[in-house]
């Protein structure tokens, strides 16, 4: 027998399910897959697949897109109970955050509160380091007081793990659950959920307020199934807020067609412009590394950073480039304390922490550190910025690692590549564009032109 | 030149496949690979001349220390195609435990070629128990052998509650009782050269139990073929 609280607003995959007799008639049962002539459409993740590629020997079909959450097979059902909002309405504010918003942040914050109250879909476009999380607090405060169920989802585990303690600190009295793939704790019914976008697939019409952070991040942008998940996870009347620093073409199109309202915040909370991207051409940088040489422009750039005792992140396109660069760097600058990190690195979190603590001078990384992580005073370089793994959004995010703290608003952002690409140009243009917009709106304290 | 973009079934990165000049001039259809080159490069094939004659493990001597311990079964030897490394572990987990049946196709071609070379009278896949079959929806070994003529000569016997082999340690694995029985009458196997196919050779307990049954039924020789050893 299943606990009803485990089923409120959730969707559970099973042949059959049993709850206490008074709840049994309220159970919602949906077939887990829809079959058409050629396709099977998974009702959990929304993805469709040609039938013949996923046919099992006994004639059932399965979904190859979301099997990490337990395989959906066409002979199963999705079971759920309607979300009853079993939370107490509050008369006192649960918000213990004491900080202040700038007037530009405050304007966005009020728009967000209105979106949450009316159940609309909205996009907050705020530059990297604008203070997006703080702008959510007042809207979420009001939602929680009304007894609404709230979720913050992000495509990246790292972002979830960084957000969770901040929300716990801001709303100390509100029970919170953090959900992601490798967690050890089981699911529990809580008013505030922080989860990866993947975990949204386990919900069905649960949230009155759903915030999706870093919508442009892999894999959300590339995965229409997770977009479907957002629509499924919120109540039909629920509010949906997308947060991004680099809106995708799809979101920009919806905005132009007036199908999505947008709040802009083109300046960082500390009122300094975003560091602009400096671009230098290299010639066959990968071959140079193979021959154990640093490309001349890279060496020059590094010497400058190192002579100023700057700490820096160094992004490379692929895991195999990490070791090559590390060994060349070690020969060229033997004093430099450096290490490499990538997504599957077992010491990933420790290494990032060592960089934060200032123990390392340089962290050589793949795109995993492109977003969500804040180092206080840092320069950034990208080697091979023309590689296909770097999207415009990724490059803007990488550039956005520099100058985030008000004590150190400047930082060098240097891109090296064998050729200038449309994607690099677009990233440079986006950063210049938001800086101009911020200047025009008087959001930047010190102008440098 | 590249084929239309697909995704590597294991790492989900873009799987761009270069067509070689040879393939281009050959005018034969190019069979697209389901895994990307990076993943394929992480496979560690075991060369025939560097394998233990008993169990097929990658080994410099002719008979590895483990096989000198298996004294009884003289008419059995195993061929393992790959080292059971991190990549194959990930592969088997996605194929067997998550149930991504598409992955059966990844090694079908290679396995078919091995089976052909071994020239056996009967090809017998190791069966899985009916409850697992019901949950998974397929037998992972039969999946590898799609398109090969096989004989369902073995069935599982239900002992009381069993741990799956993958959850046991070496000692527990070695103590396992005969898990199979014959589906067919013994004359079917008389004087036959039989090929047994399984996914992973770990201690050899499973496949040797099956081999013993077949040899006792009169088979002249039993050869094992496993995708991996380790």
């Amino acid at each position: 027998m299943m606990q009803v609280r485990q089923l409120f607003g959730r969707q559970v995959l099973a042949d059959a399910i049993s709850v206490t007799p008074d709840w049994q008639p309220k159970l919602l049962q949906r077939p887990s897959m829809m079959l058409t002539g050629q396709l099977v459409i998974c009702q959990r993740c929304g993805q469709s697949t040609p039938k013949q590629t996923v046919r099992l020997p006994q004639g059932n079909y399965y979904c190859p897109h979301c099997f990490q959450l337990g395989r959906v097979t066409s002979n199963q059902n999705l079971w759920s109970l309607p979300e009853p909002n079993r939370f107490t309405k509050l008369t006192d504010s649960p918000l213990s955050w004491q900080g202040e918003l700038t007037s530009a942040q405050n304007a966005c914050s009020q728009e967000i509160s209105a979106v949450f109250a009316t159940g609309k879909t909205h996009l907050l476009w705020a530059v990297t380091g604008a203070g997006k999380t703080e702008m959510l607090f007042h809207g979420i405060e009001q939602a929680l007081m009304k007894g609404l169920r709230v979720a913050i989802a992000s495509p990246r585990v790292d972002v979830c793990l960084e957000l969770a303690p901040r929300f716990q600190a801001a709303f100390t009295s509100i029970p919170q659950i953090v959900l992601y793939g490798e967690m050890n704790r089981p699911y529990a019914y809580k008013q505030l959920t922080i989860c990866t976008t993947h975990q949204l697939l386990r919900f069905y019409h649960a949230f009155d307020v759903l915030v999706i952070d870093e919508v442009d991040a892999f894999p959300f942008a590339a995965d229409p199934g997770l977009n479907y998940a957002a629509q499924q996870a919120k109540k039909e009347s629920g509010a949906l807020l997308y947060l991004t620093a680099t809106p995708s073409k799809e979101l920009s199109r919806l905005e132009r067609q007036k199908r999505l309202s947008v709040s802009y915040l083109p300046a960082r909370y500390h009122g300094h412009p975003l560091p602009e991207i400096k671009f230098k051409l290299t010639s066959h940088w990968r071959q140079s590394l193979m021959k154990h040489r640093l490309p001349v422009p890279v060496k020059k750039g590094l010497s400058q950073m190192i002579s100023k005792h700057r700490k820096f992140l160094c992004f490379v396109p692929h895991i195999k480039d990490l070791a090559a660069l590390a060994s060349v760097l070690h020969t060229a600058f033997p004093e430099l304390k450096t290490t490499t990190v990538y997504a599957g690195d077992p010491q990933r979190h420790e290494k990032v922490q060592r960089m934060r603590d200032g123990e390392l001078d340089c962290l050589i990384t793949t795109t995993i550190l492109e977003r969500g992580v804040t180092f206080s005073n840092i320069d950034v370089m990208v080697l091979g910025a023309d590689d296909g793994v770097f999207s415009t959004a990724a490059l803007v995010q990488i550039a956005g690692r520099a100058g985030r703290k008000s004590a150190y608003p400047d930082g060098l952002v240097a891109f090296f590549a064998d050729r200038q690409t449309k994607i690099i140009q677009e990233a440079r243009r986006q950063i210049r564009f938001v800086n101009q917009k911020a200047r025009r709106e008087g959001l930047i304290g010190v102008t440098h032109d | 030149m590249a084929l239309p973009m697909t995704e590597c079934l294991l790492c989900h990165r873009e799987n761009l496949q270069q067509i070689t000049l040879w393939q281009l001039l050959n005018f034969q259809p190019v069979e697209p690979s389901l895994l990307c080159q990076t993943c394929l490069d992480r496979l560690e094939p075991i060369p025939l001349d560097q394998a233990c004659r008993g169990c097929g493990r990658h080994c410099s001597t002719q008979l590895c220390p483990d096989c000198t311990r298996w004294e009884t079964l003289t008419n059995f030897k195993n061929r393992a195609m790959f080292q059971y490394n991190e990549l194959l572990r990930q592969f088997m987990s996605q194929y067997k435990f998550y149930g991504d049946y598409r992955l059966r196709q990844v090694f079908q071609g290679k396995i078919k070629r091995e089976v052909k070379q071994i020239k056996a009278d009967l090809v017998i896949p190791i069966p899985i128990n009916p409850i697992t079959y019901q949950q998974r929806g397929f037998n992972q070994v039969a999946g590898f052998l799609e398109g090969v003529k096989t004989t369902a000569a073995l069935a599982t016997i239900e002992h009381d509650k069993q741990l799956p082999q993958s959850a046991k340690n070496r000692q527990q694995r070695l103590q396992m009782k005969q898990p199979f029985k014959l589906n067919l009458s013994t004359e079917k196997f008389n004087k036959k050269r039989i090929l047994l196919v399984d996914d992973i050779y770990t201690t050899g307990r499973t496949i040797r139990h099956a081999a013993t049954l077949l040899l006792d039924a009169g088979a002249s020789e039993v050869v094992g073929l496993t995708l991996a050893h380790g």
Side-chain angles (χ1 to χ4, degrees):
Chain A
M1 178 116 24
M2 195 142 182
Q3 289 287 321
V4 287
R5 291 168 70 88
Q6 294 285 320
L7 277 167
F8 291 157
R10 295 280 278 180
Q11 46 183 358
V12 171
L13 196 62
D15 299 333
I17 233 169
S18 78
V19 291
T20 49
D22 46 329
W23 283 97
Q24 200 73 31
K26 297 202 179 79
L27 275 175
L28 296 172
Q29 173 192 359
R30 298 178 300 139
S32 65
M33 291 189 123
M34 233 171 71
L35 309 181
T36 69
Q38 303 292 318
L39 301 171
V40 282
I41 305 161
C42 175
Q43 298 302 293
R44 182 169 68 182
C45 75
Q47 299 273 58
S48 45
T49 315
K51 264 182 175 174
Q52 83 274 6
T53 59
V54 290
R55 191 178 178 279
L56 292 169
Q58 288 173 309
N60 294 320
Y61 302 93
Y62 74 97
C63 175
H65 299 285
C66 59
F67 58 75
Q68 282 95 345
L69 296 175
R71 190 181 68 182
V72 169
T73 311
S74 53
N75 58 343
Q76 291 171 309
N77 287 303
L78 289 165
W79 299 87
S80 76
L81 281 173
E83 172 60 48
N85 287 69
R86 280 207 184 164
F87 314 111
T88 35
K89 294 196 171 91
L90 304 169
T91 42
D92 295 327
S93 165
L95 181 62
S96 39
W97 179 73
Q98 295 290 328
E100 259 181 58
L101 296 174
T102 65
S103 62
Q105 280 180 319
N106 200 27
C108 289
S109 169
Q110 280 175 14
E111 285 171 10
I112 290 167
S113 300
V115 168
F116 288 174
T118 50
K120 287 195 182 124
T121 297
H122 188 78
L123 171 69
L124 170 61
W125 179 2
V127 293
T128 53
K132 286 192 283 283
T133 311
E134 289 77 9
M135 287 187 262
L136 301 175
F137 285 161
H138 288 293
I140 289 178
E141 172 196 21
Q142 287 159 21
L144 292 172
M145 287 176 74
K146 283 188 258 178
L148 301 183
R149 192 172 183 188
V150 177
I152 323 285
S154 163
R156 297 238 172 179
V157 185
D158 310 64
V159 176
C160 292
L161 293 179
E162 192 167 291
L163 284 176
R166 289 167 73 186
F167 276 91
Q168 191 64 81
F171 300 99
T172 42
S173 59
I174 302 293
Q176 160 185 313
I177 179 115
V178 187
L179 303 173
Y180 54 97
E182 307 84 36
M183 65 185 172
N184 330 321
R185 277 192 301 165
Y187 167 78
Y189 180 63
K190 297 282 161 66
Q191 192 174 6
L192 182 60
T193 303
I194 294 174
C195 65
T196 55
T197 42
H198 221 83
Q199 293 292 320
L200 289 177
L201 295 173
R202 296 193 194 273
F203 289 93
Y204 188 69
H205 297 173
F207 303 112
D208 302 281
V209 169
L210 174 57
V211 179
I212 302 200
D213 199 359
E214 313 270 8
V215 260
D216 51 286
F218 168 90
F220 195 87
D223 195 342
L226 286 168
N227 217 334
Y228 169 93
Q231 293 296 335
Q232 292 259 300
K234 76 177 190 69
K235 284 186 187 164
E236 272 160 353
S237 61
L240 178 57
L241 175 69
Y242 293 112
L243 305 182
T244 181
T246 43
S248 64
K249 287 215 173 79
E250 175 66 15
L251 284 176
S252 305
R253 192 171 57 80
L254 289 177
E255 184 219 340
R256 272 201 311 281
Q257 295 170 340
K258 303 259 184 283
R259 284 160 62 192
L260 183 69
S261 57
V262 181
S263 304
Y264 296 100
L265 186 55
R268 287 186 160 169
Y269 73 97
H270 56 48
H272 291 270
L274 299 180
E276 289 188 10
I277 297 166
K278 298 204 167 50
F279 179 77
K280 284 273 165 18
L281 275 174
T282 51
S283 153
H284 305 289
W285 63 270
R286 203 171 261 138
Q287 279 96 316
S288 299
L289 290 188
M290 291 300 168
K291 291 180 194 149
H292 221 75
R293 279 202 304 261
L294 269 180
V296 179
V298 179
K299 188 161 191 175
K300 246 176 150 173
L302 282 173
S303 305
Q304 277 173 13
M305 284 190 240
I306 291 165
S307 66
K308 288 185 200 153
H309 301 288
R310 299 284 300 169
K311 312 252 175 213
F312 58 97
L313 292 176
C314 190
F315 289 84
V316 292
H318 301 289
I319 294 177
K320 61 179 191 288
D321 301 320
L322 292 170
L325 182 61
S327 100
V328 179
L329 269 188
H330 184 71
T331 323
F333 306 100
E335 313 280 84
L336 203 66
K337 287 197 282 297
T338 165
T339 191
T340 60
V341 68
Y342 58 97
D345 191 334
Q347 294 176 303
R348 170 177 168 182
H349 298 291
E350 288 167 42
K351 286 175 173 174
V352 171
Q353 195 52 46
R354 278 170 62 203
M355 186 72 192
R356 274 210 189 102
D357 297 343
E359 274 179 46
L360 294 169
D361 298 317
C362 165
L363 191 55
I364 306 171
T365 171
T366 56
T367 54
I368 53 147
L369 294 187
E370 85 186 29
R371 64 184 72 230
V373 285
T374 304
F375 301 99
S376 66
N377 180 16
I378 212 146
D379 287 347
V380 178
M381 68 171 259
V382 181
L383 191 56
D386 55 339
D387 194 285
V389 303
F390 296 115
S391 61
T392 297
L395 290 175
V396 170
Q397 285 288 345
I398 287 171
R401 295 307 98 199
R404 290 174 80 93
K405 290 281 162 76
S406 58
Y408 312 99
D410 300 313
L412 179 76
V413 180
F415 284 11
F416 300 95
D418 288 347
R419 64 211 161 110
Q420 169 91 273
T421 61
K422 280 239 166 65
I423 285 173
I424 298 175
Q425 283 169 350
E426 177 61 21
R428 301 179 77 189
R429 197 196 59 78
Q430 271 200 20
I431 291 176
R432 277 199 299 268
F433 171 77
V434 290
N435 279 343
Q436 277 164 8
K437 195 171 161 79
R439 277 194 194 99
R440 243 180 285 127
E441 291 175 18
L443 297 174
I444 285 181
V446 207
T447 42
H448 295 280
D449 356 78
Chain B
M1 187 177 295
L3 290 167
M5 198 201 89
T6 49
E7 210 186 72
C8 170
L9 290 189
L10 269 193
C11 69
H12 304 290
R13 289 197 192 93
E14 202 178 297
N15 184 9
L16 279 177
Q17 284 165 25
Q18 305 291 317
I19 296 179
T20 60
L21 188 61
W22 171 248
Q23 286 172 324
L24 194 64
L25 297 175
N26 211 1
F27 290 103
Q28 293 291 315
V30 178
E31 221 177 276
S33 162
L34 298 167
L35 305 189
C36 68
Q37 202 52 48
T38 321
C39 284
L40 289 175
D41 288 346
R42 288 174 57 201
L43 286 171
E44 298 171 68
I46 302 175
L48 253 182
D49 55 344
Q50 292 169 39
C52 164
R53 277 187 307 135
C55 68
R57 101 167 52 216
H58 196 214
C59 154
S60 51
T61 55
Q62 288 216 320
L63 212 59
C64 75
D66 265 1
C67 285
T68 35
R69 277 197 252 168
W70 292 104
E71 293 147 358
T72 46
L73 227 51
T74 43
N75 291 330
F76 176 80
K77 59 177 201 263
N78 189 62
R79 156 90 179 123
M81 296 167 63
F82 298 98
Q83 204 89 297
Y84 193 40
N85 64 2
E86 197 39 53
L87 183 97
L88 270 184
R89 222 174 291 269
Q90 192 193 337
F91 172 88
M92 288 310 296
S93 147
Q94 184 172 329
Y95 180 43
K96 258 165 92 170
F97 298 111
Y98 286 107
D100 191 358
Y101 191 51
R102 295 174 302 173
L103 291 181
R104 74 191 184 282
Q105 297 166 326
V106 172
F107 293 107
Q108 273 176 1
K110 287 197 178 72
I111 290 173
K112 210 174 190 169
R113 275 193 292 275
E114 290 283 339
V115 170
K116 247 187 182 163
Q117 271 181 17
I118 291 170
K119 294 200 188 76
D121 301 318
L122 293 174
V123 180
I124 302 176
I126 295 286
I128 59 174
N129 82 53
I131 299 162
T132 313
Y133 185 82
Q134 208 49 44
Q135 285 165 353
R136 195 173 291 159
F138 59 89
N139 172 341
Q140 68 278 5
V141 182
F144 287 145
L145 291 169
E146 217 175 30
V148 175
K149 190 175 172 292
T150 59
T151 313
L154 298 171
T156 57
I157 311 174
E158 285 315 305
H159 294 300
D160 22 293
K161 283 243 163 171
Q162 278 178 357
L163 277 175
Q165 279 295 88
S166 57
K168 294 180 190 167
N169 64 28
R170 185 180 167 83
Q171 217 45 46
Q172 290 169 316
R173 282 172 190 255
L174 287 174
Q175 282 162 1
M176 177 180 65
K177 280 187 254 162
Q178 175 62 267
F180 305 117
K181 61 178 186 226
L182 290 178
N183 251 349
L184 306 167
S185 58
T186 50
E187 58 263 34
K188 205 61 180 109
F189 311 104
N190 199 20
K191 307 250 162 38
K192 291 280 165 59
R193 182 176 148 83
I194 292 173
L195 173 60
L196 272 174
V197 185
D198 202 359
D199 47 6
I200 302 154
Y201 184 107
T202 311
T203 59
R205 187 62 277 181
T206 309
I207 203 164
R208 279 166 196 269
H209 267 315
T212 309
L213 266 185
L214 295 165
L215 288 168
D216 288 352
S220 60
E221 194 188 353
V222 179
V223 184
L225 174 66
T226 61
L227 178 69
H229 186 298

